[in-house]
Amino acid sequence: LYQSLGIVFIVLVALWTLFLVVLPYLYMVVECFHPQLPPSKRGGPEDVLTLEQYESFFVQPVGGGLNVTHIGAFIFSIVASIAVTALNFAICYPLAFYMAQSSGAQKLRLLMLALVVPYWVNEILRAFSLRLLLASRGLINQMLMGLGFTDEPIDFLGNNVGLYVGLSYAYLLIMIFPLYNAIESLDKNQIEAARDLGAPWWRIHKDVVIPYAKPGIASGCTMVFMLSAGSLAAPQFLGGPQTLWFTSVIYNFFFQN
């Protein structure tokens, strides 16, 4: 019975991967080598393999100049995703270390619950809520002005503060769980031995914890970077008026052309 259930589960996962991951990506690969044509001309003599789509990324369709908009959006998306990954690591590493090495079982359960429960809410709703909090007349600006820290609202959204906060918050769990899994298996005696030998706290993390947790760090950073670079909801809701995320360019190409 268990063997039959295992086979059924494997088949279902394989079908899910095939129809929702492999085939859509293959379609995208094939589609990128075809020109942009109306449905009536698809499959006709004009529907030939071409590199026109890739050329349009570097060269403007009108005028033939360098396509600064698309290239700038791509570079900004990559640089911002690297910054979000670094920020996420800086936030999650201390928390993951505390959860793995310092907290008791009861505290660990409460921390896990506190981390997971907010993600029961849809990502778009979370991004919209952050937009309301960070708006010029939002709760954070009202508190800052009420406490006398500033005389006028701070443009969090226009300065892309909301974008970095939203992306970091959206993928917090993606970073913290690989770090926790890696650090949790570290023998506490190694840390105690380093302390007994007089190593300061930063040296313990530099020479003991971080080298041991490299697989978790690599996994978390890779996933956060990829998800941030491919995000659509947070840049759309929390980006400034001059911010153009590369996924927005792709979205506009598919649904507004």
Side-chain angles (χ1 to χ4, degrees):
L1 177 62
Y2 291 111
Q3 185 176 4
S4 300
L5 289 176
I7 294 173
V8 171
F9 179 75
I10 292 173
V11 171
L12 291 175
V13 171
L15 290 174
W16 182 88
T17 304
L18 176 65
F19 287 103
L20 296 181
V21 179
V22 177
L23 291 181
Y25 276 109
L26 288 177
Y27 173 78
M28 291 286 293
V29 171
V30 174
E31 190 70 15
C32 73
F33 291 106
H34 285 268
Q36 186 179 356
L37 297 172
S40 60
K41 294 185 178 181
R42 298 303 297 267
E46 298 180 27
D47 192 7
V48 295
L49 296 178
T50 177
L51 293 175
E52 179 183 338
Q53 310 290 6
Y54 290 94
E55 182 183 359
S56 66
F57 174 77
F58 296 100
V59 181
Q60 292 182 353
V62 180
L66 187 66
N67 196 337
V68 180
T69 302
H70 288 179
I71 296 175
F74 179 77
I75 294 174
F76 174 75
S77 301
I78 296 299
V79 173
S81 298
I82 293 173
V84 168
T85 303
L87 178 62
N88 242 355
F89 177 74
I91 294 172
C92 293
Y93 176 80
L95 184 56
F97 179 80
Y98 175 77
M99 291 169 58
Q101 295 290 326
S102 302
S103 63
Q106 184 66 25
K107 287 184 179 180
L108 179 60
R109 284 193 289 268
L110 292 174
L111 283 171
M112 287 286 189
L113 186 63
L115 286 170
V116 172
V117 166
Y119 288 86
W120 291 357
V121 181
N122 184 271
E123 180 183 355
I124 295 177
L125 293 178
R126 294 200 309 269
F128 190 72
S129 300
L130 284 173
R131 182 179 179 86
L132 294 178
L133 289 174
L134 297 171
S136 297
R137 296 185 179 181
L139 178 62
I140 294 178
N141 268 314
Q142 294 296 329
M143 289 179 58
L144 291 175
M145 290 188 293
L147 294 172
F149 289 109
T150 179
D151 296 328
E152 56 185 19
I154 300 174
D155 190 6
F156 291 114
L157 299 177
N159 293 323
N160 286 328
V161 174
L163 175 64
Y164 293 108
V165 171
L167 286 174
S168 298
Y169 177 62
Y171 306 120
L172 201 69
L173 294 184
I174 305 297
M175 176 69 78
I176 198 167
F177 282 135
L179 290 177
Y180 168 76
N181 288 332
I183 299 174
E184 193 270 338
S185 61
L186 175 63
D187 187 358
K188 294 183 180 180
N189 291 327
Q190 296 187 35
I191 298 176
E192 293 299 328
R195 287 174 179 164
D196 292 341
L197 293 172
W201 66 268
W202 61 268
R203 192 69 180 270
I204 294 173
H205 287 278
K206 174 179 175 292
D207 294 338
V208 179
V209 183
I210 290 180
Y212 184 85
K214 277 183 179 179
I217 295 172
S219 176
C221 289
T222 300
M223 289 190 291
V224 169
F225 172 78
M226 292 176 62
L227 291 172
S228 298
S231 177
L232 180 63
Q236 291 278 62
F237 281 100
L238 300 171
Q242 304 299 322
T243 301
L244 183 59
W245 206 257
F246 193 64
T247 48
S248 300
V249 174
I250 299 173
Y251 176 85
N252 293 335
F253 178 82
F254 270 94
F255 296 104
Q256 296 185 14
N257 283 341

